[in-house]
């Protein structure tokens, strides 16, 4: 009896409906759809970083040519919130938000209109150089995070389309 219970539990897991998004590897439907996304230029340093991160993730997927166009608009803000008694800022928050749209190039239809974003805390030191370096490092990390969120959302869209 003790051996039957684990076997029944394992058998019930196969009926849970979960399927890997990237089934089929680089030849699967989701990977092919991701490989067919053309990322439009994005303004600013943050835009350059996000676009490169998106292209790094999407270009590794297979694809026969662009079927979708990805348009991204960024909002990059730095705000101070930690104050000393002499009103000097001791802490900053860098926030990177992206509004993105995935457009079917064949029909011109917008298939995704969504947002992604993240934020990071930055210590403000007496060295202006160190603070600027920390702000730049935060932007690089945030760009990677935002790109991951966008690619994940597009992959979920492609997986749903595959099931139709």
């Amino acid at each position: 009896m003790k051996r039957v219970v684990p076997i029944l539990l394992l058998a019930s897991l196969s009926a849970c409906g979960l399927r890997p998004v990237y089934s089929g590897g680089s030849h699967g439907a989701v990977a092919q759809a991701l490989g067919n996304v053309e990322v439009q230029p994005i303004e600013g340093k943050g835009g350059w970083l996000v676009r490169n991160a998106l292209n790094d993730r999407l270009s590794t997927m297979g694809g026969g040519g662009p079927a979708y166009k990805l348009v991204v608009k960024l909002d990059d803000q730095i705000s101070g919130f930690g104050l000393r008694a002499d009103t000097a800022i001791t802490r900053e928050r860098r926030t990177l938000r992206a509004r993105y749209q995935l457009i079917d190039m064949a029909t011109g239809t917008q298939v995704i209109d969504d947002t992604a974003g993240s934020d990071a805390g930055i210590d403000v030191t007496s060295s202006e150089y160190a603070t600027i370096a920390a702000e730049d490092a935060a932007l690089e990390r945030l760009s990677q995070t935002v790109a991951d969120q966008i690619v994940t959302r597009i992959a979920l869209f492609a997986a749903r389309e595959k099931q139709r």
Side-chain angles (χ1 to χ4, degrees):
M1 182 65 179
K2 289 183 181 181
R3 290 185 182 178
V4 174
V5 173
I7 293 172
L8 290 174
L9 287 174
L10 287 174
S12 68
L13 283 178
S14 65
C16 69
L18 293 177
R19 293 184 192 99
V21 173
Y22 295 107
S23 63
S26 64
H27 301 294
V30 172
Q32 293 294 320
L34 290 175
N36 292 333
V37 175
E38 177 183 285
V39 182
Q40 299 297 297
I42 309 168
E43 289 185 30
K45 181 179 181 180
W48 180 79
L49 290 168
V50 170
R51 185 170 190 255
N52 282 345
L54 286 167
N55 282 329
D56 287 346
R57 286 154 179 76
L58 297 173
S59 67
T60 60
M61 306 295 174
Y68 297 100
K69 174 172 62 172
L70 182 62
V71 178
V72 181
K73 291 190 181 0
L74 292 180
D75 180 27
D76 181 17
Q77 300 287 325
I78 298 177
S79 58
F81 66 91
L83 296 175
R84 292 192 313 226
D86 64 353
T87 67
I89 294 174
T90 60
R91 191 102 171 117
E92 294 177 334
R93 172 173 288 134
R94 185 162 205 160
T95 306
L96 185 65
R97 301 281 180 251
R99 178 168 184 230
Y100 60 96
Q101 299 164 327
L102 187 67
I103 300 167
D104 186 335
M105 292 176 75
T107 63
T109 306
Q110 180 178 300
V111 293
I112 296 177
D113 185 2
D114 208 348
T115 59
S118 189
D119 62 352
I122 302 165
D123 287 328
V124 177
T125 64
S126 60
S127 168
E128 192 173 322
Y129 174 77
T131 302
I132 292 170
E135 290 171 353
D136 285 345
L139 179 59
E140 290 174 17
R141 287 191 311 274
L142 293 173
S143 299
Q144 298 291 324
T145 302
V146 167
D148 286 339
Q149 292 174 7
I150 293 171
V151 170
T152 300
R153 175 65 175 91
I154 295 171
L156 291 173
F157 162 76
R160 277 191 225 113
E161 288 296 305
K162 180 185 101 169
Q163 290 177 352
R164 287 184 182 186

